[in-house]
Amino acid sequence: MTQESLSYRDAGVDIDAGDALVERIKPLAKKTLREGVLGGIGGFGALFEVPKRYREPVLVSGTDGVGTKLKLAFELGRHDTVGIDLVAMSVNDILVQGAEPLFFLDYFACGKLDVDIAASVVKGIAQGCEYAGCALIGGETAEMPGMYPDGEYDLAGFAVGVVEKSAIIDGAAIAPGDVVLGLPSSGAHSNGYSLVRKIIARSRPDLAAPFDPIVAEGANQRTLADAIMAPTRIYVKPLLALMQAMPVKGMAHITGGGLTENVPRVLPDAVKAVIDPSKWQRPKLFDWLQAEGNVAGGEMHRVFNCGIGMVVVVAREHAYQALQLLRAAGESAVEIGRIETRGDGEAQTIIV
């Protein structure tokens, strides 16, 4: 008996859908082109030439995902901003070492490819790349039947940047008397969402209910879902400009671990950062999460950014000018703390 001829489509992989997605992606990627790109989407490898203005270029790379925030994206049917989250998590990380992001690659994996959903995700990735000034130079779309539940996908991102060797920021120059500046977050960014989802599951709120009065996309009020899904802020352009204008001693991207665990990553052992939360207005979302989850204050600062997405350390004599430059660039930056000598056995971040 002759067996039926099988195709890849019969096995659950639609090559035509993949080709259609590539065609949808190409104009999105084209909008992100910048100096150095030598080839577009579609090749086996992405080609990029390091800008010639760098004399001793050092490449800085980073990779990350979006975490379980994706679970909420599936439940809410919101796929247009998680791509921004994906870019932000990597470019903000390499930025803190002084790197200018050059290019970005994404990995999108699913069980069955939905071209419209995937295109919406990649549109967000391209938008994030535009915010960061880097090129969306390539990526991979993997359709793997049986690996993921229907309607779900996973994301990973990879960013490469460059910094002049003499301009690498490693925090070594940070000293007592320096000032800690904070740049506001848009919400929980892409961290702590396992706890966010646990709180939602327990309190069962109306995610579509008006939540706060922040104007967004023409609406007078955001819903709770809007606040929870607000995309991660990308700090690249204002901070690159700041680094051009003055010495920046250290920066910390406030991701998983919050202020408590991320600020010490840039501090010399002999100093500590003393941070005063009364110096900034904590977004309502964090008040809601703490109240609904009965989360301890210390745990809030270990899990969430609590309203500060990026920390910058400068010398006291540069603090005023730094704040003026950041505010002129649209950042509501504030002085949130100071650097002091660290005693034996003391923590490196003190929340007062």
Side-chain angles (χ1 to χ4, degrees):
M1 182 177 178
T2 303
Q3 289 187 319
E4 178 185 0
S5 175
L6 294 175
S7 69
Y8 213 6
R9 187 190 294 266
D10 294 323
V13 179
D14 190 340
I15 295 175
D16 292 335
D19 291 342
L21 178 61
V22 170
E23 292 306 309
R24 294 269 289 270
I25 289 172
K26 282 181 178 178
L28 300 174
K30 188 175 181 180
K31 291 177 66 178
T32 71
L33 290 180
R34 54 158 292 158
E35 61 168 335
V37 177
L38 301 182
I41 297 287
F44 285 99
L47 303 176
F48 194 96
E49 181 179 33
V50 175
K52 291 182 173 59
R53 66 179 183 274
Y54 288 92
R55 294 168 298 176
E56 292 185 287
V58 174
L59 297 180
V60 185
S61 59
T63 182
D64 210 335
V66 180
T68 59
K69 189 175 186 177
L70 286 179
K71 282 287 190 180
L72 290 172
F74 306 149
E75 293 170 18
L76 296 169
R78 296 190 178 206
H79 309 283
D80 56 335
T81 58
V82 290
I84 299 175
D85 287 306
L86 185 68
V87 175
M89 296 305 288
S90 288
V91 297
N92 286 340
D93 272 359
I94 65 174
L95 173 68
V96 301
Q97 290 175 287
E100 171 194 0
L102 297 176
F103 58 86
F104 188 85
L105 298 97
D106 69 280
Y107 176 79
F108 179 99
C110 60
K112 180 175 178 55
L113 182 62
D114 184 312
V115 175
D116 288 336
I117 288 176
S120 182
V121 172
V122 176
K123 183 178 180 181
I125 293 171
Q127 190 173 8
C129 287
E130 288 187 69
Y131 294 157
C134 65
L136 176 57
I137 202 172
E140 170 69 8
T141 302
E143 188 176 19
M144 299 181 287
M147 285 289 289
Y148 299 92
D150 289 346
E152 296 195 4
Y153 54 83
D154 198 12
L155 290 175
F158 312 87
V160 175
V162 63
V163 60
E164 198 71 65
K165 189 173 183 179
S166 61
I168 294 172
I169 296 174
D170 60 7
I174 295 175
D178 290 341
V179 173
V180 181
L181 308 180
L183 278 63
S185 68
S186 56
H189 283 182
S190 298
N191 296 103
Y193 275 83
S194 294
L195 180 54
V196 171
R197 291 171 51 241
K198 182 78 172 178
I199 292 169
I200 290 172
R202 190 167 78 175
S203 62
R204 304 183 68 175
D206 179 1
L207 295 176
F211 183 70
D212 64 29
I214 297 174
V215 176
E217 299 298 325
N220 290 323
Q221 283 198 320
R222 295 195 307 175
T223 63
L224 179 55
D226 292 333
I228 289 171
M229 295 302 294
T232 307
R233 296 199 59 227
I234 292 174
Y235 301 97
V236 171
K237 292 181 179 179
L239 286 181
L240 285 178
L242 182 69
M243 286 183 268
Q244 287 292 318
M246 68 177 57
V248 172
K249 292 192 173 188
M251 292 185 287
H253 183 203
I254 310 305
T255 55
L259 288 162
T260 305
E261 296 185 6
N262 281 289
V263 175
R265 295 168 68 180
V266 73
L267 297 178
D269 288 340
V271 303
K272 64 185 179 184
V274 180
I275 295 175
D276 182 357
S278 71
K279 298 296 184 181
W280 72 90
Q281 183 173 356
R282 190 168 79 161
K284 183 181 176 182
L285 174 63
F286 298 109
D287 296 336
W288 183 86
L289 289 168
Q290 185 167 14
E292 292 295 320
N294 192 27
V295 183
E299 183 73 358
M300 288 294 295
H301 283 291
R302 282 191 66 203
V303 176
F304 300 113
N305 64 61
C306 291
I308 297 296
M310 183 70 78
V311 160
V312 179
V313 180
V314 297
R316 167 61 66 184
E317 61 264 30
H318 295 136
Y320 177 78
Q321 184 187 1
L323 287 171
Q324 295 301 107
L325 287 170
L326 289 168
R327 289 167 183 169
E331 287 291 338
S332 301
V334 291
E335 183 177 330
I336 64 169
R338 62 193 180 276
I339 301 297
E340 296 183 355
T341 300
R342 180 189 181 201
D344 292 341
E346 272 193 300
Q348 281 204 285
T349 301
I350 307 294
I351 310 291
V352 297

